[in-house]
Amino acid sequence: MSTEAAPMADSGVPPASSQASDVAEEEIPTNLPSDVGMDYVPLATMLATGQLAEADQFTRDALIVIAGSKEKGRDFVYFTEVKNMPATDLATMERLWNKFSKGKFGYSVQKKKWKQSKGDFEAFCSKIGWTTKDGDVERKKRWFGASEFIYDVKKAPEGHLPLTSALRGTSLLKQMLNHPVWDNDDWKKEP
């Protein structure tokens, strides 16, 4: 199997919990549309209370559901399924990430950073803080064991969250960032 056709990584997960991060003090919205019946109130609550690791995991789990992977008995998303993810659901999650991070986190932010990096994955990872230095060697941050990612709105670089595994290739991330929902700003419109 080529690295481009591989599913989202099934190895390693971020921490199960995080310390509450300072987030934008906003009212938790309750009109959170979904084309597949997904309940996004837990995500809104996690983001509103600064539980960013939990919100990050919820987002990955939601992608599995809205892609239809869960129905097929899989706990990962194939990059080929991204184009069929409902724009309504992606927009709902994006509005929440944007709202509670004051525009610092979300796929639309990552898409902007991807464009600034001219599609260079290494430059993109460096720009959004997915790399670290071990002496003189730059490497990707560890996702498994003790996560090295930053679950803090004030400390994390712009675009740092949500995480999308590229352990088995970058196709999933590329497809997420190229989903038609990000082609214009309609996703920003509150329902």
Side-chain angles (χ1 to χ4, degrees):
M1 181 184 282
S2 84
T3 59
E4 290 300 307
M8 184 166 78
D10 53 9
S11 66
V13 293
S17 64
S18 60
Q19 292 188 339
S21 172
D22 289 335
V23 290
E25 291 202 20
E26 301 266 351
E27 188 174 312
I28 297 173
T30 54
N31 186 6
L32 303 169
S34 170
D35 286 351
V36 298
M38 192 78 188
D39 179 7
Y40 291 109
V41 171
L43 176 62
T45 304
M46 291 171 200
L47 289 167
T49 58
Q51 297 172 300
L52 300 182
E54 295 85 349
D56 188 44
Q57 185 61 52
F58 182 98
T59 301
R60 270 188 304 288
D61 293 343
L63 294 178
I64 292 166
V65 171
I66 70 173
S69 301
K70 196 80 164 166
E71 289 177 352
K72 297 172 186 160
R74 281 190 277 109
D75 287 332
F76 54 85
V77 176
Y78 282 113
F79 76 93
T80 56
E81 296 171 318
V82 172
K83 66 182 176 280
N84 298 321
M85 287 182 181
T88 300
D89 290 76
L90 291 173
T92 296
M93 288 189 285
E94 187 69 8
R95 279 191 305 276
L96 292 171
W97 275 101
N98 264 245
K99 176 182 187 110
F100 292 107
S101 70
K102 293 196 182 219
K104 193 171 186 179
F105 298 145
Y107 294 111
S108 63
V109 179
Q110 290 175 351
K111 181 171 183 166
K112 181 177 76 171
K113 296 295 181 184
W114 182 257
K115 284 183 174 183
Q116 289 171 357
S117 302
K118 297 179 176 40
D120 180 295
F121 183 68
E122 299 303 320
F124 170 76
C125 288
S126 186
K127 192 174 281 287
I128 65 170
W130 286 3
T131 59
T132 191
K133 288 234 181 201
D134 277 342
D136 292 334
V137 178
E138 187 174 65
R139 65 167 175 79
K140 303 292 182 301
K141 288 191 173 180
R142 290 186 185 98
W143 192 339
F144 48 89
S147 175
E148 296 177 323
F149 291 94
I150 305 165
Y151 295 98
D152 186 310
V153 173
K154 289 183 178 174
K155 295 178 184 172
E158 192 174 88
H160 192 69
L161 297 173
L163 300 177
T164 302
S165 176
L167 187 62
R168 299 177 190 245
T170 59
S171 292
L172 178 61
L173 177 64
K174 288 176 184 175
Q175 291 301 310
M176 286 297 299
L177 300 180
N178 286 316
H179 191 283
V181 72
W182 318 128
D183 288 349
N184 58 53
D185 286 341
D186 287 351
W187 64 267
K188 293 180 180 180
K189 295 176 186 166
E190 292 291 335

